[in-house]
Amino acid sequence: MKGQIVNKENVFHMVCGAALLALLAVCGYAGAYRADTAVSVPVTVVYEEEDQAIELLDSVINDPTASRETKDGALAEKVKIAKRLDMEKQAEKMLCEMGFENTSVLCAEGGVTIVTTEKNADSEKKRTRMTGAVSGLLGVSGEDIKIILAKK
């Protein structure tokens, strides 16, 4: 980063940007359901990057030298992440209670991605049940929900 000042505010923006890009990459890569393929999606990588982003946000919030504006921005970002994670967990719990075990839900501004096993998505009826339930819970259009298969 030649010619740029590296401080906690710049690092904060870079980490948040990287976490967002990782989420968008997973959601964008998801595409529509394809019965003839299964993909390995690095869901754990997304969660690890979120953990790193939260740690950085905490360090900015607790930094006595950071400006009030920076701390407020970091706190607002942390609240957004917490709300999104709560929505994902609620959707995952609901899907599990419906019999769709081993399913992850990833929310982003562009929509929702459901990562599940082939067994859970082997019929149009099952896929419709999953998207309908997640749509109702999260208030997202069914068109904005993608289902992809995860390899174990």
Side-chain angles (χ1 to χ4, degrees), residues 2 12 16 29 33 59 81 91 102 134 143:
K2 189 175 183 179
F12 162 72
C16 288
Y29 178 74
Y33 172 81
S59 71
I81 292 171
N102 301 318
V134 171
E143 294 174 357

Side-chain angles (χ1 to χ4, degrees), residues 5 9 12 16 23 38 40 43 46 49 57-58 77 81 92 96 122 129 136-137 141 146 152:
I5 298 173
E9 290 180 36
F12 162 72
C16 288
L23 278 173
S40 295
V43 174
V46 173
E49 289 186 5
L57 292 169
D58 284 338
E77 189 64 31
I81 292 171
E92 289 170 0
C96 185
D122 62 1
R129 281 185 63 217
L137 178 69
S141 167
K146 307 297 180 209
K152 288 189 176 188

Side-chain angles (χ1 to χ4, degrees), residues 3-140:
Q4 292 184 340
I5 298 173
V6 178
N7 59 30
K8 285 195 177 195
E9 290 180 36
N10 289 342
V11 173
F12 162 72
H13 292 292
M14 288 186 287
V15 170
C16 288
L20 179 61
L21 286 174
L23 278 173
L24 292 175
V26 169
C27 293
Y29 178 74
Y33 172 81
R34 292 184 53 182
D36 60 340
T37 63
V39 296
S40 295
V41 178
V43 174
T44 56
V45 171
V46 173
Y47 294 140
E48 288 171 6
E49 289 186 5
E50 287 173 346
D51 290 343
Q52 291 172 353
I54 290 170
E55 285 178 26
L56 179 62
L57 292 169
D58 284 338
S59 71
V60 171
I61 291 166
N62 296 321
D63 183 357
T65 63
S67 69
R68 174 58 36 206
E69 182 180 342
T70 300
K71 288 182 178 190
D72 289 346
L75 184 59
E77 189 64 31
K78 187 175 176 182
V79 168
K80 281 185 199 176
I81 292 171
K83 285 181 180 179
R84 184 177 42 75
L85 290 173
D86 184 54
M87 289 173 32
E88 291 172 353
K89 293 300 173 201
Q90 286 180 34
E92 289 170 0
K93 181 180 178 188
M94 178 190 60
L95 289 172
C96 185
E97 289 171 355
M98 292 174 64
F100 300 115
E101 297 177 0
N102 301 318
T103 300
S104 294
V105 176
L106 301 169
C107 299
E109 287 187 33
V112 176
T113 301
I114 300 171
V115 182
T116 192
T117 62
E118 187 169 357
K119 175 185 158 198
N120 288 339
D122 62 1
S123 72
E124 187 65 32
K125 183 177 179 180
K126 288 180 181 179
R127 294 188 296 276
T128 300
R129 281 185 63 217
M130 279 194 285
T131 56
V134 171
S135 174
L137 178 69
L138 302 180
V140 176

